[in-house]
């Protein structure tokens, strides 16, 4: 089974394909798109890959043995892996930084730290999911609560009061999303393009994604809702299809 992931990070489009199956214990990766920093030039011998992620000009792969590969631009140390990084179960890429979730529910962060994006909140544990934004990060705890850290110039780390029962998280350039277990969404930040204006009546959501200045939601019936920056249509109001 092939899993196709198009990772839009701050306007830089990198496409990665992982041909992995649960039975095979991992697969290979194909990458294409902008390669000015070597972000689509795969490391020699890369195999047994079970997950992939991308930053602005770099790429990440998680192997079945819990180790990580990183390649591409490295001016912020984003492809210099922390010593002894193992037992990883999930990865996420920010602009010039990365996150890795270990099996024990702790996080490793590395790369550029000019806004505290790799300075983890004290006592952060029991994490089950991670997401990287432009210069901020999100972590979902096993109790359904969310932690956020990094730059907060636009309120992207100001978690809404009482946010709980969260199932999934996503980080955009300057905004954040959370999917609750009941299929509804929460979104927060300064909102010049309507990227946090959740369409009225949106429900039964099963997955979310955040772009630079727009947001996406997949409904249980297979339909997608999209809202936020939409200059080609000369509009910024929420739209669902």
């Amino acid at each position: 089974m092939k899993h196709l992931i198009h990772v839009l990070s701050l306007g830089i489009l990198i496409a990665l394909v992982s041909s992995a199956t649960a039975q095979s214990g991992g697969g290979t990766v194909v990458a294409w798109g902008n390669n000015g920093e070597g972000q689509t030039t795969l490391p020699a011998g890369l195999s047994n890959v079970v997950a992939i992620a991308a930053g602005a000009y770099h790429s990440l792969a998680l192997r079945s043995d819990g180790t990580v590969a990183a390649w591409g631009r490295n001016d912020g140390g984003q492809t210099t892996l922390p010593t002894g990084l193992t037992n990883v179960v999930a990865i996420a890429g920010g602009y010039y930084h990365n996150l890795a979730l270990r099996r024990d529910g702790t996080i490793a962060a590395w790369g550029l730290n000019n806004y505290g994006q790799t300075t983890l909140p004290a006592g952060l544990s029991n994490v089950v999911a991670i997401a990287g934004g432009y210069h901020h990060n999100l972590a979902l705890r096993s109790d359904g609560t969310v932690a956020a850290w990094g730059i907060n110039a636009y309120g992207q780390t100001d978690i809404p009061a009482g946010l709980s029962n969260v199932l999934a998280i996503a980080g955009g350039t300057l905004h954040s999303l959370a999917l609750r277990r009941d299929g509804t969404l929460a979104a927060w930040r300064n909102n010049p393009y309507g990227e946090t204006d959740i369409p009225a009546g949106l429900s039964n959501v099963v997955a979310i994604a955040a772009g630079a200045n727009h947001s996406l939601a997949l409904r249980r019936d297979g339909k997608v809702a999209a809202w936020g920056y939409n200059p080609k249509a000369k509009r910024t109001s929420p739209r669902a299809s």
Side-chain angles (χ1 to χ4, degrees):
M1 178 180 181
K2 290 187 176 182
H3 305 281
L4 174 61
I5 299 178
H6 289 275
V7 183
L8 178 61
S9 179
L10 314 171
I12 308 299
L13 185 60
I14 302 170
L16 303 171
V17 175
S18 174
S19 302
T21 66
Q23 291 76 24
S24 69
T28 58
V29 175
V30 177
W32 63 97
N34 188 339
N35 196 37
E37 303 291 340
Q39 60 268 50
T40 64
T41 301
L42 301 174
L46 181 63
S47 61
N48 298 318
V49 174
V50 295
I52 49 180
Y57 302 97
H58 68 282
S59 304
L60 302 169
L62 173 61
R63 302 183 186 92
S64 58
D65 64 359
T67 62
V68 177
W71 63 98
R73 190 168 182 169
N74 195 39
D75 53 344
Q78 59 269 48
T79 64
T80 301
L81 299 172
T83 302
L85 182 62
T86 59
N87 297 314
V88 175
V89 296
I91 49 177
Y95 192 57
Y96 287 162
H97 72 282
N98 302 302
L99 301 176
L101 174 61
R102 301 185 187 93
R103 191 173 302 279
D104 64 1
T106 62
I107 295 174
W110 68 98
L112 192 65
N113 194 37
N114 54 335
Y115 295 107
Q117 58 268 52
T118 65
T119 301
L120 301 174
L124 182 61
S125 60
N126 298 315
V127 175
V128 295
I130 51 177
Y134 182 61
H135 292 307
H136 76 286
N137 302 301
L138 303 169
L140 174 61
R141 302 184 186 94
S142 58
D143 64 358
T145 61
V146 176
W149 66 99
I151 193 170
N152 196 36
Y154 295 94
Q156 58 268 54
T157 65
D158 289 334
I159 298 169
L163 181 63
S164 60
N165 296 313
V166 173
L167 183 64
I169 49 178
T173 299
L174 299 171
H175 72 290
S176 302
L177 300 176
L179 169 62
R180 302 184 186 94
R181 291 187 179 278
D182 64 0
T184 62
L185 301 184
W188 60 99
R189 67 146 286 177
N190 191 14
N191 193 34
Y193 298 112
E195 54 267 63
T196 62
D197 289 336
I198 299 169
L202 181 61
S203 61
N204 297 314
V205 174
V206 295
I208 53 175
N213 296 114
H214 70 284
S215 303
L216 301 168
L218 173 64
R219 300 188 186 95
R220 189 176 303 279
D221 62 4
K223 294 182 179 180
V224 175
W227 63 99
Y229 191 49
N230 194 23
K232 289 189 179 295
K234 305 297 183 184
R235 58 182 290 180
T236 58
S237 57
R239 179 168 66 121
S241 61

